[in-house]
Every structure is written in C-alpha cells, then in structure tokens.
C-alpha cells in the first residue's frame, strides 16, 4: 500500500475520532491530548506496516482501537473499531468480517474500562472536595462556637452569626439578615444584616476584604464597621415587622422547622414580594432558628452578587450553625431577662438602686463638661408611716405600685425612674437643666396629688402627697455623683420642713451642708 494511502487513512481516523469528541463535548485541551495519543498509536501501526508489511495488521491495529477506546470512551472505541476495519480492508484488499466482532469488543471494553476509571477518579475528587468542604465547615463552626461560648451579649452573637455565614472563609453567602421573634412570637422583627444593598457595593466590599486579606476572626471584629455593612440595608431591615402565619413563607419555615428555599417569588405571598422589592433579590433561603420548640427567629440568606443558586446542600450545611445560633440567642435573651429582673424592683417594676448606680455612672458628665447636664429628682410620700400604721402594709404596697405608674406616666421617654427604698423614689433626667427638671418635678407632685389612692382619706391632709427635692450638675457646688445625690437629698429635707407637698431646688444653696 502506498504512503499516500496510509496518510489518507490517518486523516480518516483523526476525523472520525474528532467527530466522536465533538459529540461528547470534551474540553479542548484534553481532546487535543487524547487525539495526539490516539493518532500516535495509529502512526505506530502504519510504521509497522511500512517496514514489516500488512501480514500482522489485523492484530497490530488493536493497539489503535484500545488507545482510541481509552481516550474517547465507548463511542470512541466503537468508532475506532469501525475505522480499523476500513484500514485493514484498504491494506489487504479483503473485508475482515471475522475480526469485526473482536474489534468491537476490544473497542467497547477499552471504552468501558476508561469510563469506569474516569468515574472512579471523579468520585474520588468528589469525595475529596466534600471532605475539604466539610473540614472548612467544621473549622468555621469551631471558631464560631468558641466565640459564641465567650459571650451572652446578643449584639455580639448576631455579629458572629452573620459574619460566619457571609465571609469567604466562612460559608460564603453574599448576604445574610436576621429576624427575631417578638415576645408574643406573633411577628418577626428585622434586627441586623450583613452584606451589600446592590451588586456594585458587593464587589467593593469583596475588593476591600481581598486587599486587607481578612480572615474570619478579623471579619468578626470588623464586619459591623462601615466598610463592611450597608446602612441603607440595615435601616430598611429594622423597619420590617413581618407577621408569622401559615400564609407566608416565614411562617412556613418556622412551623415546619425546616429551611425553605424560594427559587421564584410567589405573587400570592406578600412577604416574598416585600423581600424582593426591598432587597432586589429573586432567590433566597430562610433558615429557622428554633430552640426546644421555641421560635427564636429566621436567618435569611441570598447571593445578590454572584447569583449562585442556593441548594439543599447549602441549607443542610448551614443548619448546625443555625441550631447553635438559636441556642446561643435564646440563652442570651434569658440572660437579658434575668439581668433586667435584677435591675428592677419586684414590687413596683421601677428600676432599683443597682440600676441607679449604673445609669448614674453612664450619664454623669465628665469633668469640666457642662454641656450635658444631669438632673436628679428625689421624693418620698408624706406621712407614709402614718398611712401604714392605720391601713397596714398590704394597702401600703398597693399605694406604692400605683404611685410608680403615676411617676412613669409623668416622665419623658428617655427619663429613668427608680424606687430607692421604702417610700423613697428617684428620677434621673439626662441632658436636662434645673429649670426643666423643676417643671417635671412639679408635674409629678401635681399628678400624685390629683390621683386617687386607696386609703388616702386617712392621711392628715385627706389625700396622698409627696415632697420633692431637685438638683442639677450645672451647679458650681456639684462636681461628683455623691454631691449630686446629697444636694437633691438636702433639697428634699427643705421641702419636708417647708410644709410638705412641695418642690424645692438646690439652687438656693451655695455649698452642700
């Protein structure tokens, strides 16, 4: 056979294998390597024919069939077998019908073995990827768990949760938001979110993180900085109050206690439409935060920047973190309730002396700062010992509880009221000058006098009254917290001596006696 015919056969084989590769849509670089490998085996067969003749071609061609089958799997092996029949026919001028089944078996076997090995390799890579992914998640959970165990502050816990969900070194979602259930568990209040409001801001944040090479712990420390959060997103989120019912996806996630993935927005669910309109997202997932059957809240995640679809595996991976977060948030909430109870008077519900010391420390002006005055009102019930002696302590307690309500209703939202002990009460007025404090003190005195209390007809004046002393830090003689308390107490003493049921301010005194 001429060299031209051999070259012609080589082209036929290459074209056949190329068509097979195109059908299978192989990667271009992989395809070229496989094509060169198969073509080299065919060239080797042709070289052996050139030097040794075509007597052994029927068997040496098996090298090409096996090679093509290994390179291009089952279809490649069969195509090579059929091509080999043509090659043998052209070289020997006889149709090798007897060896055709052998060629097909060899080609199919090589293709099957190659496919089997490829599947095993892919399975191995899949397992390796899964193990690496699980290892990464375990590392995230370890860091998050360690941080969560170190605090009972809700703000820090929320920060840790959201950072671990959105950080590239964490679970890697583009955005995460937390909604917490109200005390009555009838609605979900938007609390805080991490992530961009739009795609452009998202890329800016990613570039910042990449430049600074921030790790998960770094992000936990910095994630609530202005560089990493969107004020607009959080302002919108905090304005949301979503009802929990069976007609919306939030209620479904909590009632089923399972993650819900929203692939497309339902026009019948107003909560889905609200999330889409406010946060420009077409797909998101809701992860319920539940502890011992109690609805703690919802974690909402989405990928607004890279548009990566959220899968069931994604939600499965986030569940351990969500469960841990629910426990930590529930404990933090219980701790806050206990702390609140520890700062409240058990009878009246007003703040107690412990809370007074803390709030006084927080709001007392620093030395030399007279631009942020703090006023203090102190008062007690006139002739209360007489009242208790005549009416008993149980009725006296009813009077104290009602008096507490009168006090609270007389004050502004940012004022603080305390039961200081027995029948003595204190009010702290941050940012309030003495003349403003006097107005509030007179309002308290007047409201108490007008209010109806049980057993007040036994009082000497026929009605329950209070005497009040007022002092303010803008007085030149008041430079410490104790001096402020002492000044108000001296003013109260003057009010008692002035006939009771009156308000006296410390401005009359030059120094504290």
């Amino acid at each position: 056979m001429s060299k031209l015919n051999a070259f012609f056969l080589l082209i036929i084989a290459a074209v056949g294998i190329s068509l097979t590769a195109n059908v299978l849509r192989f990667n271009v670089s992989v395809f070229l390597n496989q094509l060169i490998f198969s073509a080299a085996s065919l060239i080797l067969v042709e070289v052996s024919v050139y030097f040794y003749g075509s007597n052994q071609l029927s068997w040496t061609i098996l090298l090409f069939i096996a090679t093509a089958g290994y390179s291009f799997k089952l279809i490649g092996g069969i195509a090579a077998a059929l091509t080999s029949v043509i090659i043998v026919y052209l070289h020997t001028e006889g149709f090798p019908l007897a060896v055709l089944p052998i060629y097909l078996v060899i080609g199919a076997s090589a293709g099957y073995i190659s496919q089997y090995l490829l599947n095993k390799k892919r399975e191995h890579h899949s397992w390796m990827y899964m193990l690496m992914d699980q290892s990464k998640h375990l590392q995230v959970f370890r860091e998050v768990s360690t941080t969560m165990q170190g605090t009972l502050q809700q703000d820090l816990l929320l920060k840790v949760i959201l950072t671990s969900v959105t950080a590239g070194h964490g679970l890697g979602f583009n955005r995460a938001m937390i909604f917490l259930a109200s005390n009555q568990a009838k609605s979900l209040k938007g609390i805080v979110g991490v992530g961009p409001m739009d795609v452009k801001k998202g890329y800016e944040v990613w570039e910042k993180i990449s430049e600074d090479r921030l790790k998960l712990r770094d992000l936990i420390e910095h994630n609530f900085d202005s560089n990493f959060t969107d004020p607009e997103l959080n302002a919108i989120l905090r304005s949301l109050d979503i009802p929990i019912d069976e007609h919306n996806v939030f209620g479904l996630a909590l009632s089923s206690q399972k993650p819900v993935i929203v692939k497309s927005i339902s026009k019948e669910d107003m909560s889905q439409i609200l999330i889409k309109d406010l946060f420009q997202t077409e797909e998101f997932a809701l992860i319920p935060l539940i502890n011992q059957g109690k609805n703690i809240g919802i974690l909402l995640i989405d990928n607004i920047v890279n548009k990566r679809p959220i899968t069931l595996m994604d939600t499965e991976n986030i569940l351990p973190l969500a469960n841990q977060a629910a426990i930590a948030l529930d404990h933090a909430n219980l701790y806050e309730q206990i702390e609140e109870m520890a700062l409240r008077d058990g009878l009246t519900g007003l703040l107690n002396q412990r809370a007074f010391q803390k709030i006084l420390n927080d709001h007392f002006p620093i030395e030399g700062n007279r631009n942020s005055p703090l006023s203090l009102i102190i008062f007690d019930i006139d002739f209360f010992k007489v009242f208790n002696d005549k009416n008993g302590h149980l009725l006296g307690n009813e009077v104290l509880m009602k008096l507490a309500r009168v006090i609270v209703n007389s004050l502004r939202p940012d004022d603080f009221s305390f039961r200081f002990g027995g029948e003595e009460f204190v009010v702290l007025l941050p940012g309030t000058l003495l003349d403003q404090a006097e107005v509030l003190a007179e309002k308290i005195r007047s409201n108490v006098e007008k209010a109806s209390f049980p057993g007040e007809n036994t009082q000497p004046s026929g009605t329950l009254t209070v005497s009040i002393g007022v002092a303010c830090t803008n007085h030149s003689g008041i430079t410490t917290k104790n001096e402020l308390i002492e000044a108000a107490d001296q003013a109260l003493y003057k009010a008692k001596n002035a006939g009771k049921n009156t308000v006296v301010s410390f401005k009359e005194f030059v120094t504290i006696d």
Side-chain angles (χ1 to χ4, degrees), residues 275-320:
I275 296 299
K276 175 184 180 296
D277 291 343
L278 293 179
F279 302 110
Q280 293 80 52
T281 184
E282 295 289 343
E283 177 182 348
F284 60 90
L286 300 177
I287 316 296
L289 304 177
I290 297 174
N291 182 39
Q292 296 181 341
K294 184 194 300 184
N295 291 337
I296 306 301
I298 286 283
L299 171 64
L300 186 152
I301 56 175
D302 74 342
N303 288 318
I304 186 176
V305 181
N306 61 17
K307 306 298 182 183
R308 179 173 65 87
I310 299 174
T311 65
L312 182 60
M313 180 63 71
D314 289 331
T315 59
E316 290 293 330
N317 287 335
I318 208 173
L319 270 180

Side-chain angles (χ1 to χ4, degrees), residues 88-296:
V88 173
Y89 171 73
L90 293 175
H91 274 289
T92 61
E93 298 182 355
F95 191 75
L97 187 60
V99 296
L100 178 58
I102 298 175
Y103 288 178
L104 291 174
V105 169
I106 295 297
S109 298
Y112 176 79
I113 292 171
S114 176
Q115 187 65 55
Y116 175 79
L117 294 175
L118 180 63
N119 290 340
K120 282 295 182 182
K121 183 179 179 180
R122 288 174 176 171
E123 185 178 335
H124 174 73
H125 286 166
S126 177
W127 276 105
M128 286 297 295
Y129 176 80
M130 187 180 298
L131 288 173
M132 291 175 62
D133 197 43
Q134 291 299 320
S135 176
K136 174 186 174 181
H137 290 161
L138 287 173
Q139 177 67 16
V140 171
F141 297 148
R142 186 185 69 81
E143 291 190 30
V144 170
S145 177
T146 301
T147 308
M148 282 185 177
Q149 290 174 8
T151 183
L152 282 171
Q153 298 179 20
Q154 187 184 85
D155 289 347
L156 180 56
L157 287 172
L158 294 173
K159 179 179 178 180
V160 172
I161 295 164
L162 293 174
T163 304
S164 62
V165 170
T166 56
H169 297 286
L171 299 182
F173 294 98
N174 296 167
R175 189 165 59 179
M177 292 170 261
I178 284 185
F179 298 78
L180 293 182
S182 63
N183 292 333
Q184 295 77 24
K186 293 183 179 179
S187 66
L188 289 163
K189 176 71 176 174
I191 303 298
V192 67
V194 167
M197 191 65 192
D198 54 46
V199 175
K200 181 182 177 182
K201 291 182 180 179
Y203 281 117
E204 290 174 356
V205 171
W206 280 358
E207 288 174 2
K208 177 66 176 175
I209 293 173
S210 178
E211 288 174 4
D212 296 344
R213 297 183 179 180
L214 297 176
K215 302 295 183 182
L216 182 58
R217 285 192 175 275
D218 300 323
L219 289 169
I220 289 175
E221 294 178 6
H222 300 292
N223 205 22
F224 277 21
D225 295 347
S226 59
N227 288 332
F228 303 113
T229 56
D230 194 309
E232 182 185 357
L233 180 140
N234 277 279
I236 294 173
L237 182 61
R238 285 192 289 269
S239 69
L240 293 181
D241 197 356
I242 299 176
I244 301 174
D245 61 46
E246 59 184 10
H247 302 298
N248 66 40
V249 69
F250 286 82
L252 174 62
L254 289 174
S255 62
S256 66
Q257 300 187 6
K258 295 179 181 178
V260 176
I261 302 175
V262 177
K263 290 292 185 181
S264 59
I265 304 301
S266 171
K267 295 182 179 180
E268 297 178 356
D269 185 347
M270 293 305 298
S271 68
Q272 294 185 40
I273 296 173
L274 185 66
I275 296 299
K276 175 184 180 296
D277 291 343
L278 293 179
F279 302 110
Q280 293 80 52
T281 184
E282 295 289 343
E283 177 182 348
F284 60 90
L286 300 177
I287 316 296
L289 304 177
I290 297 174
N291 182 39
Q292 296 181 341
K294 184 194 300 184
N295 291 337
I296 306 301

Side-chain angles (χ1 to χ4, degrees), residues 26 29-39 71-73:
F26 281 122
S29 61
V30 174
F31 162 68
L32 289 175
N33 290 333
Q34 293 170 336
L35 182 60
I36 291 171
F37 183 45
S38 301
S71 297
F72 298 107
K73 311 305 179 290

